[in-house]
C-alpha cells in the first residue's frame, strides 16, 4: 500500500490531514507458530481459504480502534462498486474498513461479521489489495478539500447523471492530422455545453449500451 498512497492525490490528502489510512495485518492475529491464516476447504477442491479465526479477530481489532467503522469485504461475489457507492462511503464519518482476502476467498462464516460486500467487477484478482486501493482512490478524491477544483469531482464520469465523461482535448489544435472539434474553439459556451452533453450521451450509449 505504501507506494500508491505516497504519490499524487492520496498523498496530498493524507499530508493535509483530510484522510488517514491505518493498516492491519491479518497474519498478526494467527494463533499458531507459523502465523497461518489459510487452510484447505472442507469437501475438497483446489486452493486455500482464509480462516475465520484470524480474519474475525482482525475485524474486531478494527472495531476497537473505531467502533462505528463500516466493514467492507472485498469479494467477486459482492455488489458492484460504483461512483455512487464511492460517494456514499465519503459519508461514513467513522470511516470504512476494507477487508482484503487472498487465495480462493473467505470462509463463508466471516460474512456474518462484515457490513457489506463489494466487488470491483466480474474478474478475479490474486488478492484484495488492488481492489482496496481502487476504493481508496475513488473515495479520497471525493472528500471535500482534496481536489484543487471541487468541480472536477462533480463533472467526473458517472457522477452527475450517470453518463460517461465527454471527450477532452488540449493543445495543440492539430496532432498528426487529427483536429480539435471546431465547437470547442468557438468560444460559444452554450454550444460547447450542448456538444458535451451530446458526446457524453453518445459515448455512454456506445460503451454501456
Amino acid at each position: 500500500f505504501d507506494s500508491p498512497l505516497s504519490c499524487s492525490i492520496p498523498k496530498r490528502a493524507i499530508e493535509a490531514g483530510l484522510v488517514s489510512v491505518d493498516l492491519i495485518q491479518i497474519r498478526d492475529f494467527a494463533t499458531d507458530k507459523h502465523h497461518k491464516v489459510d487452510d484447505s476447504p472442507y469437501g475438497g477442491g483446489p486452493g486455500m481459504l482464509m480462516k475465520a479465526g484470524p480474519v474475525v479477530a482482525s475485524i474486531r481489532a478494527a472495531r476497537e480502534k473505531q467502533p462505528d467503522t463500516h466493514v467492507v469485504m472485498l469479494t467477486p461475489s459482492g455488489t458492484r462498486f460504483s461512483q455512487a457507492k464511492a460517494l456514499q462511503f465519503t459519508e461514513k464519518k467513522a470511516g470504512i474498513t476494507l477487508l482484503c482476502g487472498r487465495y480462493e476467498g473467505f470462509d463463508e462464516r466471516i460474512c456474518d461479521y462484515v457490513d457489506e460486500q463489494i466487488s470491483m467487477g466480474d474478474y478475479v484478482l490474486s488478492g484484495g489489495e488492488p481492489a482496496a486501493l481502487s476504493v481508496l482512490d475513488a473515495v479520497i478524491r471525493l472528500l471535500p478539500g482534496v481536489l484543487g477544483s471541487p468541480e472536477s469531482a462533480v463533472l467526473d464520469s458517472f457522477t452527475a447523471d450517470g453518463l460517461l465523461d465527454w471527450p477532452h482535448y488540449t493543445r495543440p489544435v492539430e496532432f498528426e492530422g487529427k483536429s480539435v472539434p471546431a465547437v470547442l474553439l468557438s468560444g460559444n459556451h452554450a454550444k460547447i455545453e450542448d456538444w458535451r452533453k451530446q458526446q457524453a450521451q453518445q459515448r455512454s450509449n456506445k460503451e454501456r449500451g
Side-chain angles (χ1 to χ4, degrees):
F1 288 90
D2 290 344
S3 178
L5 294 177
S6 298
C7 62
S8 190
I9 292 170
K11 177 186 178 182
R12 295 201 300 269
I14 292 170
E15 290 180 344
L18 299 173
V19 66
S20 63
V21 180
D22 297 318
L23 303 179
I24 296 177
Q25 172 60 265
I26 295 175
R27 194 177 294 276
D28 291 343
F29 298 90
T31 56
D32 67 300
K33 65 179 182 179
H34 299 295
H35 301 286
K36 190 176 181 181
V37 296
D38 64 313
D39 211 332
S40 55
Y42 282 120
M48 305 287 276
L49 290 175
M50 298 286 287
K51 297 170 63 176
V55 175
V56 171
S58 69
I59 293 172
R60 287 173 173 157
R63 292 194 189 280
E64 286 178 7
K65 287 186 175 184
Q66 180 52 263
D68 296 325
T69 186
H70 187 73
V71 180
V72 177
M73 174 187 282
L74 297 164
T75 169
S77 59
T79 302
R80 185 80 62 89
F81 186 62
S82 65
Q83 187 75 359
K85 178 58 68 175
L87 187 59
Q88 288 179 20
F89 281 170
T90 67
E91 299 168 358
K92 302 293 183 184
K93 301 303 181 183
I96 56 175
T97 296
L98 301 171
L99 183 61
C100 302
R102 277 272 164 182
Y103 319 115
E104 286 294 309
F106 295 98
D107 183 304
E108 185 67 18
R109 292 167 290 187
I110 298 170
C111 299
D112 293 336
Y113 298 86
V114 305
D115 299 307
E116 190 171 0
Q117 298 181 47
I118 289 293
S119 168
M120 301 309 293
D122 295 342
Y123 56 91
V124 178
L125 298 167
S126 297
E129 294 84 2
L133 285 166
S134 293
V135 173
L136 280 170
D137 191 274
V139 173
I140 287 173
R141 67 191 312 280
L142 292 175
L143 295 173
V146 170
L147 296 181
S149 171
E151 193 178 42
S152 296
V154 175
L155 296 178
D156 276 341
S157 293
F158 313 115
T159 298
D161 47 20
L163 298 177
L164 296 176
D165 203 359
W166 54 76
H168 295 270
Y169 298 86
T170 188
R171 294 178 179 85
V173 173
E174 295 279 344
F175 175 73
E176 296 188 353
K178 300 176 179 64
S179 301
V180 174
V183 65
L184 298 179
L185 307 175
S186 68
N188 188 321
H189 295 294
K191 287 186 176 180
I192 290 173
E193 184 67 19
D194 288 342
W195 179 87
R196 286 174 170 171
K197 289 179 179 178
Q198 292 172 5
Q199 291 294 313
Q201 186 67 63
Q202 290 174 15
R203 174 176 281 180
S204 299
N205 292 342
K206 178 182 176 181
E207 301 298 337
R208 295 292 188 268

